[in-house]
Amino acid sequence: MQYVKLIREKQRDKDMRNIIIDCDPGHDDAIAILMALAHKDELNILGLTTVGGNQLLAKVTKNALKVLSLVDEDIPAAAGEAKPLIKPIHTGEDAHGESGMDGPVLPEPKFSVVSDNAVQFMYEKIKGCKEKVTIAALGPLTNIALLLRVYPEIKSKIEMICLMGGGIHIGNRTAAAEFNIYVDPEAAKMVFNSGVDIVMAGLDVTNKAMIMDDERELLRGKGKISDFVSDLLDFYSLASKRFGFEGSSLHDPCVMGYLLKPDLFEGKRYHVDVETQGDITRGMTLADERPVPEKEANTLVLLEVKRKEFIDFVCQCVFKLDAERRDKKTL
Ligand code: RIB
Ligand code: CA
């Protein structure tokens, strides 16, 4: 067994994408995490960090550990910042409920965090990795802004920051701003202006990555993990409908979808900056779409997704996790 593991480790060094997932589970964060765990043959998940956002830090951290426990994946996890850099914390219980992941009932997590300092944890994981590392950012950008500020030299080891956040033509927390950016606009401004390559899965694309009720039903009864995702979406769809949407936008899964199936997406490169001073425009991600922009593009803004293929892919990730666990039981 050791020999097989050795080959796999060797393989891992050669052609894997090293990633760190920063998140605030969060119904859609949980699905994105499962998508990554279904593709450990392509993604070398160095760790998972949590940040206050959809709910308070303790709740989102517990939710992250519950998801890892559900699939029995002891990925190193670290808790991060409870509050934004400047603004007071603003949570999203209107969409995610009191626990931050209302709907499914999961047992207490069997794993614990290995650190309460996500910034230090991320720095050490990235520094210790031979190749560059991709950061998949699924919540407010507080941890990542601090990482880049405290350890600026680490930028050279970051492949890209693929983030769910913003929207160059639309908001959701306000008419101008998407939730993750709205919560910590100062952090977002630092990240977009850091010089690190950014892929932005904003509302322009994630509102098109919608799972419809009939597609959601296909998940029911296919296994423990599929039922968990079905329960997540049953609750999450209630919020979507309250906000006037026909289906549920799979916001954070678009980040993992892009990293695993980039051909399902289309985008354009723009210079994007973040409004931090405005009252009604706080957290707005402004793209310079002029024919001759003032500054060089810093962001690939995702604008289109092949919705049906993307939803099929998300479901296949979930079915794969259930199938792998059924196979394990028969070994
Ligand atoms: O606006 C959607 C984003 O806010 C997603 O990341 C969701 O999890 C919430 O954090
Ligand atoms: Ca999130």
Side-chain angles (χ1 to χ4, degrees), residues 33-191:
I33 292 165
L34 293 175
M35 291 169 71
L37 292 169
H39 288 276
K40 287 170 57 181
D41 54 334
E42 296 178 52
L43 299 176
N44 176 25
I45 307 171
L46 298 173
L48 183 150
T49 52
T50 59
V51 61
N54 280 328
Q55 255 302 351
L56 300 177
L57 179 67
K59 293 182 178 180
V60 299
T61 302
K62 187 171 191 178
N63 291 338
L65 294 170
K66 281 185 173 182
V67 174
L68 295 177
S69 302
L70 173 73
V71 289
D72 196 23
E73 290 279 1
D74 191 6
I75 302 284
E81 297 300 308
K83 294 182 171 43
L85 298 182
I86 308 253
K87 302 283 193 297
I89 183 68
H90 175 95
T91 53
E93 54 270 357
D94 52 344
H96 299 275
E98 183 49 37
S99 72
M101 207 162 74
D102 279 14
V105 177
L106 289 177
E108 286 300 295
K110 57 185 172 187
F111 301 130
S112 306
V113 293
V114 298
S115 163
D116 287 318
N117 185 336
V119 172
Q120 180 77 23
F121 174 84
M122 283 197 274
Y123 172 70
E124 287 169 2
K125 285 292 180 188
I126 297 170
K127 190 161 179 283
C129 186
K130 275 188 283 186
E131 304 91 12
K132 288 192 174 187
V133 176
T134 292
I135 297 177
L138 311 179
L141 294 165
T142 317
N143 290 338
I144 298 159
L146 285 173
L147 171 73
L148 300 176
R149 173 59 58 89
V150 174
Y151 302 105
E153 75 279 9
I154 206 67
K155 291 180 190 177
S156 64
K157 285 292 298 295
I158 299 174
E159 181 77 35
M160 74 166 80
I161 298 168
C162 189
L163 62 90
M164 193 281 138
I168 62 173
H169 298 129
I170 188 168
N172 57 6
R173 178 60 197 77
T174 69
E178 177 278 328
F179 177 84
N180 288 337
I181 310 299
Y182 178 87
V183 169
D184 197 341
E186 286 76 15
K189 191 175 191 71
M190 286 167 62
V191 171

Side-chain angles (χ1 to χ4, degrees), residues 131-323:
E131 304 91 12
K132 288 192 174 187
V133 176
T134 292
I135 297 177
L138 311 179
L141 294 165
T142 317
N143 290 338
I144 298 159
L146 285 173
L147 171 73
L148 300 176
R149 173 59 58 89
V150 174
Y151 302 105
E153 75 279 9
I154 206 67
K155 291 180 190 177
S156 64
K157 285 292 298 295
I158 299 174
E159 181 77 35
M160 74 166 80
I161 298 168
C162 189
L163 62 90
M164 193 281 138
I168 62 173
H169 298 129
I170 188 168
N172 57 6
R173 178 60 197 77
T174 69
E178 177 278 328
F179 177 84
N180 288 337
I181 310 299
Y182 178 87
V183 169
D184 197 341
E186 286 76 15
K189 191 175 191 71
M190 286 167 62
V191 171
F192 276 90
N193 288 286
S194 66
V196 174
D197 275 352
I198 307 283
V199 176
M200 172 178 145
L203 297 173
D204 314 281
V205 72
T206 67
N207 277 346
K208 294 171 184 169
M210 201 167 272
I211 187 166
M212 311 316 270
D213 290 354
D214 59 332
E215 293 165 328
R216 184 158 53 86
E217 281 314 307
L218 295 174
L219 286 159
R220 182 64 66 192
K222 301 290 191 331
K224 183 176 73 165
I225 299 164
S226 306
D227 281 342
F228 166 64
V229 173
S230 207
D231 291 343
L232 284 173
L233 291 172
D234 283 353
F235 181 88
Y236 200 44
S237 66
L238 299 175
S240 300
K241 292 200 167 46
R242 276 202 308 277
F243 299 146
F245 291 103
E246 191 190 346
S248 300
S249 299
L250 297 186
H251 300 292
D252 295 337
C254 282
V255 168
M256 230 45 84
Y258 177 78
L259 294 178
L260 290 164
K261 295 277 182 199
D263 296 346
L264 295 183
F265 296 83
E266 287 177 21
K268 278 186 187 160
R269 288 189 59 79
Y270 292 113
H271 182 273
V272 175
D273 202 346
V274 181
E275 173 58 72
T276 57
Q277 304 303 318
D279 286 338
I280 61 173
T281 56
R282 158 188 165 169
M284 181 178 186
T285 47
L286 181 67
D288 191 339
E289 298 181 87
R290 292 173 291 183
V292 182
E294 215 164 298
K295 295 181 183 173
E296 198 181 322
N298 58 0
T299 304
L300 172 62
V301 177
L302 301 183
L303 296 165
E304 300 298 336
V305 59
K306 293 174 182 166
R307 189 201 71 83
K308 185 77 180 70
E309 291 91 325
F310 173 67
I311 296 303
D312 287 348
F313 177 63
V314 173
C315 293
Q316 288 313 314
C317 290
V318 176
F319 296 147
K320 183 168 182 276
L321 290 170
D322 270 323

